[in-house]
Amino acid sequence: MQKIRILGNNSLQLKGKIKISGAKNAVLPSIAASLLTEEKIRLKNIPLVKDVFTTLTLMKELGAEYNIKKKLLSIQVKTIRSYEASYELVRAMRASILVLGPLLARYGKAVVSLPGGCAIGSRPIDLHIHGLEKLGASITLEHGYIKAEAKNLQGTEIKFEKKTVGGTENLIMAASLTKGETILKNCSLEPEVSSLCELLAKMGAKIEGIGEETLCIKGVKELGGATHEIIPDRIEAGTYLIAGALTRGNIVLTHTQPKQLSTIIEKLKFSGAKIENINSHSLRIIGSQEIKPQDITTSPYPGFPTDMQAQFTVLMTQAEGTSIITETIFDRRFSHVNELLRLGANIEVSGDKSIVKGKTLLSGAETIATDLRASASLVLAGLIANGETIINDIEHLNRGYEKIEEKLESLGAHIERFRE
Ligand code: EPZ
């Protein structure tokens, strides 16, 4: 099993410059979109992370041909070989559900395993299914699989009962090839959704209202190839901003988009950090000696991202006072807390809140990662914990952080990956 060892200390100061990679949560739907055309899709700046390779394994099973040169992915689905996303692949990565909409729209058929729960909650897909049924798909759930058929989908109005990133993406892709006009209401506003719309528009899709809660999509007969640049990963950037604040360091992030980080930056400034935009693609964080407690409540974009909740919790263990962290998106996203307690944090979970009492001196311990962002929070905690921290099962970390050890080492951290 792969593990990470960190030799941390609470006077560590990270300094230097790192380049932010392409966004995992933007590249996954963009790869799925290649199912919508028989022509080639080229995606630049892809992150070489596990979830991308898992998605490409699934796409190959469906019939895609692809190659990756440096960070350019060329992918094409000339003919479909299968309509099925198997349990082992969907279990490995819930985002496999993003092939459902495109398969239905292009081929009228899809068999996708139900994703099941995961470490951050139940994560149903009822909103995906309801939306596709409103377009005219007939969907049954049999033996743990979603069996979907669509003789002829017809545009209509669909209002999401609650904001769902994947549900919005699935329906946008399906509607792009659905005859008539589809109005999608209460769409997610995450930049990754807008980036998918921009790719689809390059492919010939007719989408109005990109970046707004209501999208109007006029279906076209077919979509063509396109080249698209994957946007920077705002959660990776936020994670390194926290590392800078946590270690009272001085870090420059390049190849990022500060405008997508506004709520994270606002909360970090309130907690005492200094953050300056150097230009539209880079910024600097200078951590403050005293870290002030902050209450946060996660909410859909442009609110404070749920994917930053665990990382921010680590920062609040070093704040002088009590912080209340409220998680509103997922029903169980506090699995990092038990591991942080082993490092000496003082956190109590009650319902949808975790109450963090700081400042606590953390000391290194053996820990285990349970999901992608919980793993990131353990790495952050290990940086400032006195002594050695071991993080077991870092497969989760590999899913969404490209070269995290190299990037942190370049800033002065003592971190290594090893196998036992
Ligand atoms: C996307 O997941 C991201 N993943 C998640 O990032 C992110 O945390 C989440 O959006 C934030 O909303 C990718 O983009 C690949 P949702 P997704 O549908 O689409 C409920 C990471 O760490 N819901 O927006 O799966 C759901 O249970 C990952 O990078 C339904 O009830 O999330 C959750 O409570 C973790 N029915 C809420 O909505 C549905 O049909 C938001 O889920 C769909 C969702």
Side-chain angles (χ1 to χ4, degrees), residues 24-25 94 123-127 164-166 307 329 373:
K24 162 181 87 81
N25 291 350
R94 170 192 161 80
R123 303 185 76 185
I125 51 160
D126 54 315
L127 302 176
T164 161
V165 171
D307 294 346
I329 306 289
R373 307 306 172 181

Side-chain angles (χ1 to χ4, degrees), residues 230-241:
I230 298 300
I231 57 173
D233 194 316
R234 60 193 168 91
I235 305 302
E236 183 196 21
T239 304
Y240 288 112
L241 287 175

Side-chain angles (χ1 to χ4, degrees), residues 5 10 21 26 43 191 198 232 291 420:
R5 174 185 294 116
N10 72 346
S21 302
L43 299 174
E198 279 145 25
I291 297 171
E420 220 167 46

